[in-house]
Amino acid sequence: MPAASDPDPYAGTPLQGGDGARPEDSDAFAEEALGIDPRRLLEITRDVCVLIGEYRTEMGLEYGNPEPRWGSWAWWRRIARSEYAGRFAHRYLTGYGGVFDAPGGNLSLGVPARFVATRAAGHADNLVGTDPFVAAMPTDISNKGEAALSREVEEKLQEELTRSNIRGVVREAIRVALTENDSVIKLTWVTQKAQRPELRPVAVYVESGARRSEMGDGRSTSDGGAMADGGAITDGSAASDGGATPDGNATSDGSAMADGGGMGNGSTTPGGFDPVALLAGMDAEAMGAANAAARAAAEPLRTPKGDFIFQHDDIVLCLAATNTGEFQALYAPGDPVPEGQYVQARLKKEPAFVFDPATMLGPDSKPVFQTVPGLIGTDTIQDCLVGAGLQVEDFLYDIKQPKLMDSPLQVHVYDDELDRVLAAYGHSSDPAEKYAPLKAGLNFPAPEEDSPKSGASMPKREHGEYYNTQGSSIRRKCNVHECYYRVRLHPDDANETWLFLVLDYARQVPLHAEYLGNMRMKSPPFRILRGLESVPSRAYGVGIYQKFHERNLAVDYWFNRAKLKTTKNASADFMKVDAFIEAQDAQEFRMGGTEIYRVKSELNDRPLGPSNPVIWRENLHDQNQLEWEMIQKIIQTGQIEFGIADIGQLQDEGAQIAKDATATATRNVERTGNTLQRATENMMAEDLTGLCELAIDLILENADLETLRFSPGGQLLAGLNRDEIRDLPRQVRLLLTKARSSESLANNQQAVAMIQQYDAMRPSMQKQVRFAFIAMLRSLDVQDADDILVEPSDEEIQAEGQQRPPPPNPHLGESIGIKLADLLPSEQAQALQQIGIQADPQRGQGGGQSGQSQQSAQQGAQQSTSMAPMTPMTSPQVLPNPSAAA
């Protein structure tokens, strides 16, 4: 019996999920599944081993050696990973020399790490920062039925994507890609279970002695006979003649439990159906000694998949045909039951299990929940889509191909326990003994040492891991190569096919082989996410660390030089021995102690003091500001090149552009940065679209159609077969909600301003410039610009000519200064009236004014200088000049 904590033996392999071809207890399973003889399988194994060796050589890897060859393809990725983690030992191990070899001279400012962190956070937020972040199904469907199916599939996909860890994996993959040039993501559907002693009450049958003897193992069928498949009935089991249910509610026309239904959690539904009262039954005292004895001897119920039925398991009510028992539709408590149908109760977690109302829920038999000793229960740890990022050492492919799918062999390398691997693929004994005699004459590569070799198993020294165990006799390790190989299995095959092949690479032994199509997979489960930019005619990319490598060396070289120049190792101390009065009891002079030394007041006719010290230090290396300026210049160019520079950062680094920054310069810098980042995001979006297509294929291929059939919102998808699901039209696209939000906001603001400007124009002017406004709105991605900007009609243009207002006064808002004495009496009176002074007509006609009138006029004139320009009147309006009052 397996231990309680042992997982599903297929966990961690593409055979997870419990469906499809699974290994049997036969050592010849691989050959039988493929329809080939063992020698042909060994020939394929040999070819795969040779290709694996070639791929490792091209990548710069050596089997079992954690360090790649200097300057190789894998070396750049391994060095970038080490430097991002803060380890720079390769600088003095690979011959850079110079200041890096000095003690304490191998520090770093970490400039590329800051670039990576900034870019990774922005890209991850824009690409997968929202939920949902991807859409899979088309939306522009005219057929209502197809549109409803598309919406239902979309909801199912979004639910599974939310349950998965794909968003977190993509976030980390973006950082790794910007650091190590590219990142490999593997997606699998994982169904992992663990066994344990079952201590919860489970359902058992309690029947009379005669009835129990008929059932034998305590499982019920529609006619009360033995059921070998574990408890599911498909032919209907309603009491067609109308029988009383355990809660006293009589049924009619075979509609068992027609008065309602419930979720077996102890709550009573609106229809009055209490599932606990229905299923829990009576206790031992109420049932009597006979039933108590029968209950004690009863066996627990099991579902077709071997699971138990627990007291609080949920129940699904549905309508089924009376004659056939076939599912018709879901049933809501209180709804009428159509003629020819009855209410059927199913187990929600496994709808294939149907409760039999004629026997299990009849008046003579009730399920009783009790703890049965010695039962082994099963817990589902996970049953969902799972993604994982692979290290460069653990994924092998042909790096010279322009696309990953063009590589005929893709290999995932990992270490696992040998006994567990053999059990997972159905080997009762070590297959090495079986294949050893057949290897003669096949020219296999020399076997390798059987020890952990994958990069994931190597200690991460930058995080404190050091020791690496080689396995033991208790848990012997095996280096597994999980291969996806495109090959013609038979010489007369017209096309190549994808083969799933599991190898014990150290001994070149095939452990399992299967057609990839039989494993609910269309293609190998790997996708590559490129970093900063792509490489022409290659599937991989280039990251920030490799692109900034030489400049980062220069920055750290000057930084370590400046550091060493400020230490004591770069200086020397001097003292004037003749300045001391005595030898201080023959003791040597010590700095930093508590001793007091007596010195002379002068030496060689020069007073001792700050200008003539007794002890002084000379710096043997001159420092200059040029090194720091060069460091700042390199950082500035990197910021602008990688599109992360803003005015604040440039000012911190002392850039000249920040000192002379204007609003236009700021916008230009930010616009350049957005353009550079958008190019990388577009490339990553293309790669992630392929990843999402793979994820959607896995979700649909592994969908439990039986469960969907009895779930709200899943009936349309459950009505399709596997081929129809594979042929569903798809339109996978990243939503890029956050990436487009800020840009869309700015575009929409400009569009609104343009529309307002157009609406304020005269109809004749609108007709002349409408084409230009439409072009500007389209450049801002405004949909239906023709409909938004309404073209004026001829009637509106004609009405405009008839109702055109007089032209505005060109002198509106102007003011002039003129002496009050230079005006005519009538004009003087008008000017004074505007400022609140009533002129004396008689004095004005007499040509003179009293001193009091002159003083009032002067005050009024002074007040007029602070007034706003007056509204034009029918007669000319003149503002008095304060100097005129004199």
Side-chain angles (χ1 to χ4, degrees), residues 585-659:
D585 298 330
Q587 294 182 1
E588 296 181 354
F589 177 79
R590 297 180 180 179
M591 297 183 63
T594 59
E595 296 84 354
I596 299 177
Y597 299 94
R598 294 183 298 169
V599 297
K600 301 177 181 178
S601 59
E602 60 180 24
L603 183 65
N604 299 329
D605 298 331
R606 291 184 57 195
L608 296 175
S611 59
N612 186 23
V614 178
I615 302 173
W616 70 96
R617 174 172 295 174
E618 291 290 345
N619 194 350
L620 303 182
H621 297 285
D622 294 334
Q623 296 190 51
N624 56 69
Q625 193 63 24
L626 180 61
E627 294 175 348
W628 294 107
E629 294 177 357
M630 293 299 297
I631 290 175
Q632 294 169 358
K633 186 65 175 178
I634 292 176
I635 294 176
Q636 294 159 19
T637 57
Q639 288 177 330
I640 297 176
E641 177 181 354
F642 299 133
I644 61 175
D646 56 45
I647 295 299
Q649 288 178 327
L650 291 174
Q651 189 172 14
D652 292 340
E653 305 296 345
Q656 185 64 32
I657 187 175
K659 298 178 181 178

Side-chain angles (χ1 to χ4, degrees), residues 4-330:
S5 60
D6 285 349
D8 186 338
Y10 298 105
T13 73
L15 299 178
Q16 295 164 343
D19 298 320
R22 298 285 292 255
E24 307 293 343
D25 292 331
S26 172
D27 293 334
F29 174 77
E31 297 89 340
E32 294 176 357
L34 298 176
I36 59 177
D37 57 68
R39 187 173 180 83
R40 174 56 181 158
L41 180 61
L42 284 178
E43 291 177 353
I44 295 175
T45 302
R46 176 203 58 193
D47 296 343
V48 169
C49 290
V50 172
L51 282 177
I52 288 175
E54 293 177 358
Y55 288 176
R56 278 199 169 98
T57 301
E58 293 175 354
M59 299 170 73
L61 297 171
E62 183 180 352
Y63 183 68
N65 186 359
E67 299 297 333
R69 291 192 304 272
W70 190 91
S72 64
W73 182 89
W75 181 86
W76 284 106
R77 287 150 178 80
R78 181 59 182 271
I79 291 306
R81 185 195 313 164
S82 299
E83 291 189 355
Y84 185 84
R87 293 181 61 87
F88 299 89
H90 59 276
R91 287 178 173 173
Y92 53 79
L93 293 177
T94 52
Y96 284 111
V99 70
F100 298 120
D101 291 339
N106 195 11
L107 301 179
S108 175
L109 284 177
V111 176
R114 183 172 67 175
F115 294 165
V116 168
T118 303
R119 288 289 298 265
H123 293 324
D125 199 41
N126 290 337
L127 295 173
V128 295
T130 58
D131 188 14
F133 68 92
V134 63
M137 305 302 293
T139 56
D140 51 346
I141 302 178
S142 58
N143 186 284
K144 293 184 178 180
E146 295 178 357
L149 174 61
S150 179
R151 289 192 297 269
E152 183 176 298
V153 175
E154 184 72 42
E155 292 176 1
K156 172 63 179 175
L157 293 174
Q158 296 300 338
E159 177 184 346
E160 292 297 334
L161 288 173
T162 302
R163 290 178 57 232
S164 71
N165 66 337
I166 188 171
R167 291 179 62 197
V169 171
V170 169
R171 283 182 176 273
E172 177 64 15
I174 291 174
R175 184 199 63 79
V176 173
L178 291 173
T179 303
E180 304 179 24
N181 300 346
D182 43 60
S183 176
V184 179
I185 302 176
K186 179 183 180 182
L187 295 181
T188 53
W189 186 272
V190 176
T191 299
Q192 186 175 359
K193 297 182 178 181
Q195 294 181 337
R196 54 169 173 73
E198 186 55 69
L199 302 178
R200 291 179 291 173
V202 297
V204 296
Y205 272 125
V206 175
E207 299 285 351
S208 62
R211 191 70 170 172
R212 282 258 330 148
S213 62
E214 293 176 3
M215 292 191 301
D217 62 351
R219 300 171 184 177
S220 172
T221 63
S222 59
D223 57 358
M227 180 173 60
D229 63 349
I233 58 174
T234 59
D235 56 350
S237 55
S240 58
D241 55 353
T245 57
D247 59 352
N249 297 318
T251 63
S252 60
D253 66 14
S255 56
M257 298 181 293
D259 59 338
M263 312 298 287
N265 54 6
S267 60
T268 303
T269 62
F273 172 68
D274 188 350
V276 174
L278 178 66
L279 297 179
M282 299 177 292
D283 57 18
E285 296 180 359
M287 294 175 62
N291 283 349
R295 182 186 64 179
E299 295 181 5
L301 296 177
R302 285 183 181 268
T303 66
K305 293 184 179 180
D307 200 0
F308 297 114
I309 302 173
F310 301 104
Q311 186 171 5
H312 298 296
D313 282 343
D314 291 339
I315 298 173
V316 176
L317 297 181
C318 58
L319 295 174
T322 304
N323 297 330
T324 62
E326 294 182 355
F327 169 81
Q328 301 298 318
L330 293 178

Side-chain angles (χ1 to χ4, degrees), residues 770-836:
R770 182 172 179 268
F771 75 95
F773 275 84
I774 291 177
M776 289 188 292
L777 289 179
R778 287 176 177 174
S779 67
L780 296 175
D781 297 330
V782 176
Q783 302 295 330
D784 302 327
D786 293 339
D787 299 334
I788 295 175
L789 300 180
V790 181
E791 184 177 5
S793 62
D794 295 337
E795 291 77 7
E796 293 176 340
I797 297 176
Q798 293 176 359
E800 173 198 348
Q802 299 174 359
Q803 301 176 0
R804 180 173 298 178
N809 187 356
H811 303 292
L812 179 63
E814 296 181 358
S815 62
I816 59 175
I818 190 171
K819 293 181 179 181
L820 184 63
D822 296 339
L823 300 177
L824 297 175
S826 59
E827 295 173 344
Q828 292 180 3
Q830 182 183 3
L832 294 175
Q833 185 179 2
Q834 291 293 330
I835 60 176

Side-chain angles (χ1 to χ4, degrees), residues 531-543:
L532 185 67
E533 58 189 25
S534 61
V535 176
S537 70
R538 293 294 185 267
Y540 55 85
V542 176

Side-chain angles (χ1 to χ4, degrees), residues 719-771:
L720 305 179
N721 56 40
R722 292 292 177 186
D723 293 333
E724 291 173 335
I725 291 177
R726 295 187 182 102
D727 294 337
L728 284 174
R730 303 174 191 178
Q731 189 179 352
V732 181
R733 59 205 179 275
L734 293 183
L735 299 179
L736 302 176
T737 305
K738 288 195 174 182
R740 294 169 177 168
S741 60
S742 58
E743 182 178 354
S744 298
L745 178 61
N747 290 345
N748 292 337
Q749 290 175 344
Q750 295 183 36
V752 170
M754 291 181 183
I755 295 173
Q756 292 176 345
Q757 182 181 359
Y758 177 83
D759 291 339
M761 294 180 176
R762 300 191 306 273
S764 58
M765 181 62 67
Q766 288 179 347
K767 190 174 185 63
Q768 295 177 9
V769 300
R770 182 172 179 268
F771 75 95

